Amino acid sequence: MKPAYLLLAAPLALAACTARVDEARGVDHGETLLSVSASGQAESRPDRAQFQAGVETWARSAREASKANQDKIAEIVAALRELGVEEKDIQTRAVSVQRINWGDRKGQFQAGNVVEVTMRDPARAGDAVTAVTEAGANIVSGPNLSMTDPEATANLAYADAYRAARRRAEAYAEAAGMEVSRVLYIRDAGGQQGQTWLRGADAMNESAAIRTQAVAPPPPPVSMPMPEQGSPSMMVGTTRSDVYIQVDFALRDK
């Protein structure tokens, strides 16, 4: 007959293992672990619009093409400054000079210059597009609407997500005749701000939700109106933040 202590060895080992798992998750004796996933949303109005404007010029020499291009860009910048756009909000994005070896302009030189314009009042982006077009811009694309502080909106969405997780936990606890004892763990699972992903604590794991999210196409170019048409209207609208979290709660009997 085997000694009694040998028969008790397996149950004792299982109990010790369970205790270690509970301690690792932060659950005390008499508590029940509940893991809840939740999402949150928040909306905000974009406060920044960015678009690109530029000009292409042609001449018999690279120097002449560059000079004509510089003069025309100066007129475009002057038109923006007259509209109230600050110098810090006008940034060169591309400069090029090349020889044309095909078509009707074969043998000539083409110079190009594109600047990116940031409008602190998105509603005035249409006025700016009209201004640069009248000043001679023949390259215009955008605008891209965004927020200067997207984190502020994301934080509102995270607060909404936590409230949703708490309500869900309380519903589970009520159904089980228990109550929420405390919060054990909160994980930021990322989310989306407009077309930009907010990467959470599990970013290194590349969650399936992020991997399968369709990539949004780039915004279409803004049409360049003729002067008599006036400024194109701007529909600023709102941008929504969607975030996801996971919260572990400890439940206890009432």
Side-chain angles (χ1 to χ4, degrees), residues 98-141:
Q98 61 180 336
R99 181 184 176 89
I100 305 300
N101 295 315
W102 62 89
D104 296 339
R105 296 184 183 274
K106 183 177 180 180
Q108 296 185 15
F109 288 83
Q110 179 192 62
N113 195 330
V114 178
V115 297
E116 183 172 75
V117 183
T118 299
M119 301 297 297
R120 303 297 172 177
D121 181 0
R124 299 197 65 196
D127 295 334
V129 168
T130 298
V132 299
T133 302
E134 292 179 343
N138 52 22
I139 302 173
V140 179
S141 64

Side-chain angles (χ1 to χ4, degrees), residues 39-42 152-163 241-243 245:
S39 63
Q41 297 82 35
T153 304
N155 288 341
L156 294 176
Y158 280 116
D160 182 61
Y162 176 78
R163 288 192 293 268
S241 292
D242 294 281
V243 301
I245 65 172

Side-chain angles (χ1 to χ4, degrees), residues 79-254:
L80 290 169
R81 295 302 303 276
E82 185 176 350
L83 198 63
V85 180
E86 298 184 25
E87 184 177 351
K88 67 177 183 178
D89 290 331
I90 306 173
Q91 183 181 49
T92 299
R93 302 297 294 174
V95 176
S96 64
V97 179
Q98 61 180 336
R99 181 184 176 89
I100 305 300
N101 295 315
W102 62 89
D104 296 339
R105 296 184 183 274
K106 183 177 180 180
Q108 296 185 15
F109 288 83
Q110 179 192 62
N113 195 330
V114 178
V115 297
E116 183 172 75
V117 183
T118 299
M119 301 297 297
R120 303 297 172 177
D121 181 0
R124 299 197 65 196
D127 295 334
V129 168
T130 298
V132 299
T133 302
E134 292 179 343
N138 52 22
I139 302 173
V140 179
S141 64
N144 297 317
L145 300 175
S146 61
M147 289 168 292
T148 54
D149 186 13
E151 190 68 18
T153 304
N155 288 341
L156 294 176
Y158 280 116
D160 182 61
Y162 176 78
R163 288 192 293 268
R166 182 80 187 198
R167 289 193 299 268
R168 188 169 300 174
E170 290 172 350
Y172 273 116
E174 181 66 24
M178 308 179 76
E179 63 183 2
V180 175
S181 173
R182 55 202 176 95
V183 177
L184 302 174
Y185 174 79
I186 302 177
R187 184 179 68 177
D188 172 2
Q192 191 177 31
Q193 169 67 65
Q195 296 179 4
T196 304
W197 275 102
L198 305 170
R199 306 308 293 270
D202 61 346
M204 296 303 293
N205 296 328
E206 295 183 351
S207 69
I210 292 178
R211 289 200 304 271
T212 59
Q213 180 71 17
V215 177
V222 169
S223 60
M224 295 184 292
M226 297 298 291
E228 65 269 20
Q229 291 178 306
S231 302
S233 60
M234 284 293 301
M235 306 292 287
V236 177
T238 59
T239 299
R240 193 177 79 172
S241 292
D242 294 281
V243 301
Y244 310 93
I245 65 172
Q246 180 179 337
V247 185
D248 285 356
F249 295 93
L251 306 184
R252 65 186 176 192
D253 292 334
K254 289 185 178 180

